Amino acid sequence: MVSIAILGFGIVGSGVAGVLTRNREQIDTAAGEAVRLKYIVDVRDFPDSPFAPVIIRDFSVVERDPDVRVVVETIGGCGVALEFTRRAILAGKHVVTSNKALVAAHGQELLELAKLHNVNYFFEASVGGGIPVLRPLKFDLAGNRITGIRGILNGTTNYILTAMREEKLSLEEALRSAQARGYAEANPTDDLNGMDAARKLAILSDLAWGREVRAEEIGREGIEKVSLKDVECAAMLGGKLKLVCEAKLLPDGGLTAFVAPQVVMPGSMLYGVDEAYNAVLITGDAVGDVMFYGTGAGSEPTASAVLGDVIDAVRHRDRRRAINWSGTPAVLSDPMGLGGRWFVRRRDIAAIEEQCPAVPKGEDAACYRVLEK
Ligand code: HSE
């Protein structure tokens, strides 16, 4: 039998506990032995939870318990989550996480530490919620030269833009609805400003190209300034406004990456990706385009990816799975060099012709790249 501990009993942590309990038999069979939840660590009290008997406050109990072989970190952020992850690895425990902020900022360091201590550090749930994408990218597509990654990687903003278009809601109303469904981060700023999506794109790019892409260096524009008018104008053109992430290998071997709202046209495989769904389109020189699609946020979809990693960690508990993530920094080229068509909404048409595509955004102006394919 293998015992596990969950750090953080929030949306994802509670999903992991629930699905692990509900699908116990199936998970035991897949793992090859019984997987039992021994502790949940959280500073809050949950007296009415069915998991109350295993909830503790002191992480050092987990750290010192040799029965705990796998630690699931669903605390989020880079504070205590980083400290506990380091301590768990130093104590010889495998760590599984959904924490994209931590993976994007410290993934390379934590993978190195895990290598030194012969344990696994797995983070499938950090990108695309329940969609299996990192493992296919790292293992199944390993024979390809990856030339591009394009995706919708934030469920909250995709849900918001869908609700604005379909229900004619303002951005604020649609955000409240996304929060009520548990899609948004505790602080939705990073959803709205594109930082959450940039972190996920950085993780995908690190794994695809073996260069350290820093989320902070990715060209980024969020949806904070998107108005219902923009969404409606995009629809009049036959497109849908979506927050799209793109990273490309350039002909000179360099990389470019950006996150921005784009008008996605029906010819694009991303056109039908609505609500809180995410999709990642990976292009490889041998395979061509492969799209991974599914629920990108929420408690149980994310728990699904976490549990896949837990099972993998249990199955490989004596043998580390090599995930190479180089520390060589990537230098990103300016994405404006990519060209393409732009959608501009402005009262003064003459000004558009003069200034396009660098039209300033304001109440009465908007400028978005058009994604045809
Ligand atoms: N806030 C994130 C999203 C959660 O909306 O996609 C999943 O990473």
Side-chain angles (χ1 to χ4, degrees), residues 350-373:
I352 298 169
E353 284 165 357
E354 266 186 26
Q355 296 175 34
C356 180
V359 177
K361 295 236 170 110
E363 209 175 301
D364 281 337
C367 178
Y368 303 109
R369 203 181 276 270
V370 177
L371 189 61
E372 314 274 1
K373 283 194 180 163

Side-chain angles (χ1 to χ4, degrees), residues 179-203:
Q179 286 173 313
R181 285 166 168 76
Y183 300 146
E185 298 302 302
N187 176 354
T189 309
D190 285 353
D191 292 304
L192 298 178
N193 68 16
M195 194 60 201
D196 176 81
R199 289 184 180 122
K200 293 166 181 168
L201 185 62
I203 295 169

Side-chain angles (χ1 to χ4, degrees), residues 41-61:
V41 181
D42 202 297
V43 289
R44 299 164 293 178
D45 290 321
F46 298 89
D48 301 327
S49 165
F51 296 101
V54 299
I55 298 178
I56 61 169
R57 285 171 172 251
D58 184 1
F59 170 70
S60 64
V61 173

Side-chain angles (χ1 to χ4, degrees), residues 100 126 153-157 183-185 191 196 200 278 296-298 302:
K100 56 253 159 178
S126 65
L153 293 172
N154 183 268
T156 303
T157 45
Y183 300 146
E185 298 302 302
D191 292 304
D196 176 81
K200 293 166 181 168
N278 280 194
T302 310

Side-chain angles (χ1 to χ4, degrees), residues 89 227 241:
I89 292 173
S227 67
L241 205 56

Side-chain angles (χ1 to χ4, degrees), residues 150 269-271 273 278-282 289-293:
R150 177 178 280 168
M269 287 167 86
L270 300 180
Y271 180 81
V273 182
N278 280 194
V280 188
L281 183 64
I282 296 178
D289 288 340
V290 198
M291 189 156 104
F292 301 86
Y293 169 84

Side-chain angles (χ1 to χ4, degrees), residues 137-175:
L137 172 63
K138 205 56 211 157
F139 297 107
D140 305 307
L141 298 175
N144 284 262
R145 182 167 178 261
I146 304 298
T147 54
I149 297 170
R150 177 178 280 168
I152 293 175
L153 293 172
N154 183 268
T156 303
T157 45
N158 206 33
Y159 177 88
I160 288 173
L161 293 171
T162 305
M164 288 173 76
R165 187 180 71 248
E166 291 183 355
E167 298 169 42
K168 308 264 176 273
L169 299 184
S170 68
L171 190 122
E172 293 71 24
E173 290 166 330
L175 170 63

Side-chain angles (χ1 to χ4, degrees), residues 29-358:
T29 306
E33 60 190 301
V35 180
R36 294 293 168 264
L37 177 58
K38 190 160 182 182
Y39 306 108
I40 295 171
V41 181
D42 202 297
V43 289
R44 299 164 293 178
D45 290 321
F46 298 89
D48 301 327
S49 165
F51 296 101
V54 299
I55 298 178
I56 61 169
R57 285 171 172 251
D58 184 1
F59 170 70
S60 64
V61 173
V62 172
E63 196 177 18
R64 289 195 306 263
D65 187 336
D67 287 352
V68 178
R69 304 297 299 266
V70 182
V71 169
V72 174
E73 184 274 300
T74 57
I75 299 169
C78 295
V80 75
L82 175 60
E83 184 200 330
F84 288 178
T85 300
R86 283 183 180 141
R87 283 168 58 183
I89 292 173
L90 291 172
K93 301 176 193 311
H94 304 281
V95 177
V96 169
T97 189
S98 59
N99 185 345
K100 56 253 159 178
L102 189 61
V103 178
H106 297 277
Q108 200 256 339
E109 170 209 326
L110 293 169
L111 281 168
E112 279 297 315
L113 194 64
K115 189 174 173 184
L116 271 178
H117 292 270
N118 200 32
V119 293
N120 288 299
Y121 181 55
F122 287 153
F123 41 88
E124 180 63 65
S126 65
V127 176
I131 307 171
V133 60
L134 299 187
R135 201 171 269 101
L137 172 63
K138 205 56 211 157
F139 297 107
D140 305 307
L141 298 175
N144 284 262
R145 182 167 178 261
I146 304 298
T147 54
I149 297 170
R150 177 178 280 168
I152 293 175
L153 293 172
N154 183 268
T156 303
T157 45
N158 206 33
Y159 177 88
I160 288 173
L161 293 171
T162 305
M164 288 173 76
R165 187 180 71 248
E166 291 183 355
E167 298 169 42
K168 308 264 176 273
L169 299 184
S170 68
L171 190 122
E172 293 71 24
E173 290 166 330
L175 170 63
R176 277 196 292 278
S177 176
Q179 286 173 313
R181 285 166 168 76
Y183 300 146
E185 298 302 302
N187 176 354
T189 309
D190 285 353
D191 292 304
L192 298 178
N193 68 16
M195 194 60 201
D196 176 81
R199 289 184 180 122
K200 293 166 181 168
L201 185 62
I203 295 169
L204 285 165
S205 304
D206 288 329
L207 294 180
W209 291 296
R211 290 177 234 176
E212 179 88 352
V213 173
R214 302 208 46 85
E216 297 74 18
E217 287 169 17
I218 290 177
R220 177 168 56 87
E221 182 186 322
I223 67 159
E224 308 99 317
K225 291 189 186 149
V226 170
S227 67
L228 185 54
K229 204 190 280 180
D230 295 336
V231 172
E232 287 176 340
C233 286
M236 279 165 58
L237 279 184
K240 294 176 182 173
L241 205 56
K242 296 188 172 295
L243 187 67
V244 177
C245 307
E246 287 200 56
K248 273 187 195 309
L249 182 66
L250 300 171
D252 65 0
L255 293 178
T256 187
F258 65 97
V259 176
Q262 298 195 34
V263 179
V264 179
M265 301 304 282
S268 165
M269 287 167 86
L270 300 180
Y271 180 81
V273 182
D274 286 331
E275 300 178 2
Y277 285 94
N278 280 194
V280 188
L281 183 64
I282 296 178
T283 309
D285 65 341
V287 74
D289 288 340
V290 198
M291 189 156 104
F292 301 86
Y293 169 84
T295 313
S299 179
E300 292 209 350
T302 310
S304 161
V306 168
L307 287 165
D309 277 352
V310 168
I311 291 165
D312 200 0
V314 172
R315 292 201 83 95
H316 292 87
R317 65 188 216 189
D318 299 320
R319 196 158 51 92
R320 205 181 52 83
R321 297 259 263 164
I323 299 175
N324 296 320
W325 179 325
S326 152
T328 313
V331 179
L332 298 177
S333 302
D334 184 351
M336 289 304 275
L338 290 176
R341 274 213 307 152
W342 292 77
F343 158 74
V344 179
R345 179 176 65 71
R346 194 166 169 164
R347 280 189 185 155
D348 180 354
I349 296 294
I352 298 169
E353 284 165 357
E354 266 186 26
Q355 296 175 34
C356 180

